[in-house]
Amino acid sequence: MPGLSGRSTFAEQLRRLAAKQPPPRRHDGDASPWSREPRGPADGADPALGPDGRRVPYAELHCRSNFSFLDGVSHPEELVGEAVRLGLDALVLADRDGMHGAVRLAQAARAHGLPVGHGAELSLDLPGEQAGVPDPAGTSLLAIARDLTGYRRLCGAISRAALAGGKNAPVYDLDATVEDLRGHVLVPTGGRRGHVRRALVERGTAAAADALRDLVDWFGADHVVVELTDHQHPLDSEHNDVLAGLAAEHGLPVAATTNARYAAPDQAPHANLVDAIRAHRTLDDMQPWLGPGTAFLRSGAEMHDMFARYPGAVATSARLGREVAFDLRLLAPALPPFPVPDGFPDEADYLRHLAYAGAADRYGPRDHNPDAYAVIDRELAVIEELGFPGYFLTVWDIVRFARESGILAQGRGSAATSAVCYALRISNVDAVKHQLLFERFLNTERREPPDIDVFTELDLSRIRPVLELEPGSRG
């Protein structure tokens, strides 16, 4: 790679790389602030339109963000910005062994009206520590949630694997994972590390056919799709021909994907540098393993040209992308009812009682500080209108228990703008005195659940006798 190779340090390589990158530009209107200068026709034509001037429907079913540590490059917002510019019907984020970018993806997509889906690449058969390896071993299972239940089950499978294996080394119980996900996920055959394509590359067509039958047996033919990806490696076209043939034999649909690691072509050098960092090698040493810089998002028109040999593959991607898209806001769980003491008809009445009792302690009687009580009255009205009294009672109960147990607890962040939180002693910041803006924390325009962060720290001087630490113990 001209200008980036050599035996220089990574810091020097990073500086050279940064010097070559155009700064992110901010757009007017509703365009993504993460977008860079667009690629495409010099005449400014719509990149989503084909040669006949018609829009080519397409949805990307397989891309990774920088939440795929030392693999993906682009922020979720960048991927959304480029997908919107390219006119995609939908975008599915499938990071490795995690859903960490899901919320940011959903928030960015919501602002643009872009449908998005959520999946993950589950790393199977990991041989152990992968640091310092140019080409990581193991296979992967690409699973895309079909609905909210699928999203929850996929998160559960990832969490169990992380607990079983440890950081960056998940261990999946394949039988349990399949049983839990069956019927709730769409399973493309994956890219280079996918169960089917890796079998094809390493052991041939018969092995790939066996691997495809595995997926059908595990998840059912209605939930498996044969994925065709072309990164312009020498054998990509040949492998796609074999996979398309296997799909026809098994009566399965084929879908074209970019299997993108970054949003746009100008980020390919970043991906190469990430690969080198992961492998603990210089860019010169990584040359045999570096990709041709083709793992970026493409428009429907571009994909139609690339996969013209496979009729329907691009249209199938568009259809499936729309099918699996859903709004992540619907996942906000309903809290269980808070057990209010006898004599209080509901949570709102009990919260009001606690808030006014705390206000009397903090501010004195109402006639001594009417302004403070006016603020509390207004906040309580908003809390009750939005249906969150139970949430405030739950946080109050946690903080109360923590302090009574010798655990120092302190509300922090935007909750400090609430006089109710101050009265409940969730926060020790007087929002009235400092004239803080409660709407930054909670307001009727957003109608989203509040977020009260509670910082805790053990007071060992109070609980050490209970712990009965051995002499010389490090705690």
Side-chain angles (χ1 to χ4, degrees), residues 97 122-123 155-167 169-173 177:
D97 303 300
L122 311 183
S123 298
C155 290
I158 293 169
S159 297
R160 287 189 293 273
L163 290 172
K167 183 179 181 181
V171 175
Y172 292 90
D173 182 324
T177 300

Side-chain angles (χ1 to χ4, degrees), residues 34-185:
W34 293 91
S35 298
R36 294 178 181 271
E37 293 296 331
R39 72 180 191 275
D43 59 4
D46 188 339
L49 301 182
D52 60 358
R54 295 182 180 180
R55 180 179 173 278
V56 180
Y58 176 64
E60 181 51 59
L61 299 176
H62 191 179
C63 72
R64 295 183 291 284
S65 74
N66 56 353
F67 283 98
S68 289
F69 185 59
L70 293 183
D71 185 359
V73 172
S74 301
H75 295 278
E77 295 86 349
E78 289 180 279
L79 295 168
V80 168
E82 185 68 356
V84 170
R85 192 189 72 79
L86 294 172
L88 300 192
D89 289 45
L91 178 70
V92 176
L93 182 63
D95 281 315
R96 292 203 186 279
D97 303 300
M99 314 290 280
H100 311 98
V103 172
R104 283 175 54 176
L105 179 84
Q107 290 174 337
R110 192 178 303 129
H112 294 276
L114 175 70
V116 290
H118 306 276
E121 285 193 47
L122 311 183
S123 298
L124 308 178
D125 309 319
L126 287 179
E129 178 59 45
Q130 297 283 289
V133 179
D135 188 15
T139 59
S140 64
L141 174 67
L142 175 57
I144 300 170
R146 281 193 173 276
D147 49 28
L148 302 181
T149 300
Y151 180 90
R152 294 187 181 99
R153 292 193 176 202
L154 191 52
C155 290
I158 293 169
S159 297
R160 287 189 293 273
L163 290 172
K167 183 179 181 181
N168 297 328
V171 175
Y172 292 90
D173 182 324
L174 183 58
D175 291 338
T177 300
V178 169
E179 180 65 27
D180 203 35
L181 298 182
R182 183 187 294 120
H184 298 285
V185 295

Side-chain angles (χ1 to χ4, degrees), residues 265-283:
D266 64 359
Q267 294 173 318
H270 286 179
N272 288 338
L273 194 58
V274 162
D275 290 340
I277 293 171
R278 183 187 65 240
H280 298 175
R281 300 187 181 208
T282 66
L283 286 164

Side-chain angles (χ1 to χ4, degrees), residues 350-368:
Y350 187 46
L351 176 63
R352 200 178 304 114
H353 165 76
L354 293 175
Y356 289 143
D361 185 49
R362 291 284 204 181
Y363 297 113
R366 181 183 284 268
D367 58 354
H368 285 189

Side-chain angles (χ1 to χ4, degrees), residues 44-405:
D46 188 339
L49 301 182
D52 60 358
R54 295 182 180 180
R55 180 179 173 278
V56 180
Y58 176 64
E60 181 51 59
L61 299 176
H62 191 179
C63 72
R64 295 183 291 284
S65 74
N66 56 353
F67 283 98
S68 289
F69 185 59
L70 293 183
D71 185 359
V73 172
S74 301
H75 295 278
E77 295 86 349
E78 289 180 279
L79 295 168
V80 168
E82 185 68 356
V84 170
R85 192 189 72 79
L86 294 172
L88 300 192
D89 289 45
L91 178 70
V92 176
L93 182 63
D95 281 315
R96 292 203 186 279
D97 303 300
M99 314 290 280
H100 311 98
V103 172
R104 283 175 54 176
L105 179 84
Q107 290 174 337
R110 192 178 303 129
H112 294 276
L114 175 70
V116 290
H118 306 276
E121 285 193 47
L122 311 183
S123 298
L124 308 178
D125 309 319
L126 287 179
E129 178 59 45
Q130 297 283 289
V133 179
D135 188 15
T139 59
S140 64
L141 174 67
L142 175 57
I144 300 170
R146 281 193 173 276
D147 49 28
L148 302 181
T149 300
Y151 180 90
R152 294 187 181 99
R153 292 193 176 202
L154 191 52
C155 290
I158 293 169
S159 297
R160 287 189 293 273
L163 290 172
K167 183 179 181 181
N168 297 328
V171 175
Y172 292 90
D173 182 324
L174 183 58
D175 291 338
T177 300
V178 169
E179 180 65 27
D180 203 35
L181 298 182
R182 183 187 294 120
H184 298 285
V185 295
L186 173 69
V187 181
T189 52
R192 186 173 56 86
R193 289 183 59 197
H195 184 60
V196 176
R197 200 163 191 126
R198 174 145 276 186
L200 173 61
V201 171
E202 295 181 351
R203 303 191 301 279
T205 301
D210 290 341
L212 183 57
R213 279 190 290 270
D214 286 342
L215 293 182
V216 172
D217 290 343
W218 294 343
F219 297 100
D222 292 340
H223 301 285
V224 175
V225 58
V226 174
E227 179 178 348
L228 306 182
T229 297
D230 192 340
H231 283 174
Q232 299 178 20
H233 293 287
L235 296 178
D236 278 355
S237 293
E238 179 181 328
H239 291 158
N240 282 336
D241 287 345
V242 173
L243 292 171
L246 291 176
E249 291 177 19
H250 290 79
L252 298 173
V254 295
T257 80
T258 65
N259 192 3
R261 298 176 58 199
Y262 38 91
D266 64 359
Q267 294 173 318
H270 286 179
N272 288 338
L273 194 58
V274 162
D275 290 340
I277 293 171
R278 183 187 65 240
H280 298 175
R281 300 187 181 208
T282 66
L283 286 164
D284 270 351
D285 292 337
M286 282 295 295
Q287 287 298 328
W289 292 278
L290 295 180
T294 54
F296 51 84
L297 294 177
R298 291 181 172 85
S299 69
E302 291 176 280
M303 294 297 284
H304 182 268
D305 290 343
M306 288 184 65
F307 292 91
R309 295 167 60 187
Y310 313 102
V314 174
T316 297
S317 297
R319 174 179 62 82
L320 292 175
R322 292 190 295 266
E323 285 182 7
V324 301
F326 60 87
D327 191 340
L328 205 59
R329 282 188 299 191
L330 299 177
L331 287 175
L335 289 174
F338 187 88
V340 299
D342 293 338
F344 297 95
D346 53 31
E347 296 172 340
D349 192 64
Y350 187 46
L351 176 63
R352 200 178 304 114
H353 165 76
L354 293 175
Y356 289 143
D361 185 49
R362 291 284 204 181
Y363 297 113
R366 181 183 284 268
D367 58 354
H368 285 189
N369 199 336
D371 290 342
Y373 280 86
V375 172
I376 292 174
D377 290 341
R378 179 172 57 83
E379 291 187 12
L380 286 172
V382 172
I383 292 169
E384 293 175 24
E385 178 184 345
L386 296 178
F388 298 139
Y391 177 86
F392 280 80
L393 289 171
T394 299
V395 177
W396 163 80
D397 199 35
I398 291 171
V399 173
R400 177 198 58 77
F401 171 82
R403 288 176 176 164
E404 291 178 359
S405 302

Side-chain angles (χ1 to χ4, degrees), residues 460 464 467-475:
L460 293 180
R464 186 176 297 275
L467 295 177
E468 294 182 350
L469 298 176
E470 295 292 335
S473 167
R474 299 181 61 176

